[in-house]
Amino acid sequence: QVQLVQSGAEVKKPGSSVKVSCETSGDTFSRFGISWLRQAPGQGLQWMGGIIPRFGIANYAQKFQGRVRITADESSNIVHMELRTLRYDDTAVYFCARAEYGDYGSGIFYFYAIDVWGQGTTVTVSS
Amino acid sequence: EIVLTQSPGALSLSPGQRATLSCRTSQSVGSNYLAWYQQKPGQSPRLLIYLASDRATGIPDRFSGSGSGTDFTLTISRLEPEDSAMYYCQHYGSPLSITFGQGTRLEIK
């Protein structure tokens, strides 16, 4: 059974950065896209950005542009999400998630529905 | 960016009843790129429906999706206690972008 295994909970101070990892399988790395989403306490799901590991192409939600970076390490089949300049309202559960992708041509990719989710990583921003 | 609006915000029904959850989009959804997810407290979401009406692997046929354009519906027939959860609709298909509705809380009592 396909699994996405995320790194453990983090407690960070405001203004610092956090890096969360998502371990995938080789098949996932070559055939699927990986998104990062978050869910603040009692709130809904928010897409932060995603990457096509095979091509190293990433895109980010406008809300997080300039503050988030998603990278894929082909040697370890791990996708990382780094969020910088943390604020108190970044406290949330962060999920990685897998989806097939399509190609509109000219290097423009899109995701299909998410079929596999990681277990979630709690990030707490506290002074 | 397409905005998804779900209604009602919360729903309380009895076992055996039928639940009808709505998702309206601010623009027409091409290729019916609309999915539904179920999320129980403390768990990751689970894919129920994709392409507006296709059930994901292992999802009981009590769950069905319908709709096109800007109006989509998730119907859960013969409700069971374990159907208590949050339900989210999601639009995909935009270039490397995904958007969610705010969710509907379903309580089975």
Side-chain angles (χ1 to χ4, degrees):
Chain A
Q1 185 176 351
V2 177
Q3 282 188 311
L4 301 178
V5 181
Q6 299 182 220
S7 52
E10 301 266 11
V11 180
K12 293 292 184 179
K13 294 194 182 302
S16 67
S17 299
V18 68
K19 193 170 187 178
V20 184
S21 66
C22 175
E23 185 176 353
T24 75
S25 66
D27 178 68
T28 291
F29 223 74
S30 61
R31 294 178 50 214
F32 295 88
I34 297 291
S35 282
W36 285 91
L37 307 96
R38 75 179 189 182
Q39 188 168 39
Q43 302 300 308
L45 296 163
Q46 187 174 41
W47 184 78
M48 301 176 66
I51 189 168
I52 309 293
R54 179 181 177 187
F55 300 105
I57 295 174
N59 197 25
Y60 307 106
Q62 189 170 8
K63 175 183 171 74
F64 299 98
Q65 286 276 2
R67 211 161 64 93
V68 68
R69 183 172 180 233
I70 299 172
T71 55
D73 182 343
E74 193 172 7
S75 65
S76 61
N77 294 328
I78 294 177
V79 177
H80 299 277
M81 184 281 297
E82 182 179 28
L83 186 62
R84 301 180 290 272
T85 320
L86 288 169
R87 306 185 292 248
Y88 292 112
D89 62 359
D90 290 319
T91 294
V93 177
Y94 290 75
F95 294 99
C96 64
R98 184 189 88 164
E100 292 187 42
Y101 63 89
D103 183 358
Y104 285 129
S106 302
I108 299 175
F109 295 93
Y110 62 96
F111 291 119
Y112 286 101
I114 293 171
D115 65 343
V116 179
W117 296 72
Q119 82 275 20
T121 297
T122 299
V123 175
T124 303
V125 182
S126 173
S127 57
Chain B
E1 178 180 291
I2 292 181
V3 176
L4 283 68
T5 302
Q6 293 186 238
S7 62
L11 196 54
S12 182
L13 294 168
S14 300
Q17 287 190 301
R18 173 193 299 248
T20 302
L21 285 63
S22 172
C23 177
R24 287 192 169 175
T25 62
S26 60
Q27 303 171 40
S28 183
V29 171
S31 303
N32 280 347
Y33 282 156
L34 194 288
W36 291 92
Y37 298 84
Q38 176 193 66
Q39 187 181 29
K40 297 181 179 180
Q43 296 185 15
S44 303
R46 177 174 72 146
L47 176 66
L48 300 173
I49 301 288
Y50 63 98
L51 290 176
S53 61
D54 289 353
R55 263 187 305 277
T57 303
I59 302 303
D61 60 7
R62 302 186 296 104
F63 292 85
S64 63
S66 63
S68 64
T70 61
D71 288 306
F72 298 87
T73 300
L74 173 69
T75 301
I76 312 170
S77 60
R78 305 184 304 279
L79 285 167
E80 298 181 2
E82 59 263 32
D83 296 333
S84 290
M86 285 293 294
Y87 291 84
Y88 296 96
C89 61
Q90 174 214 34
H91 170 254
Y92 54 98
S94 295
L96 287 186
S97 176
I98 288 171
T99 51
F100 288 88
Q102 81 280 16
T104 292
R105 182 181 302 279
L106 175 61
E107 178 190 26
I108 312 301
K109 57 179 184 178

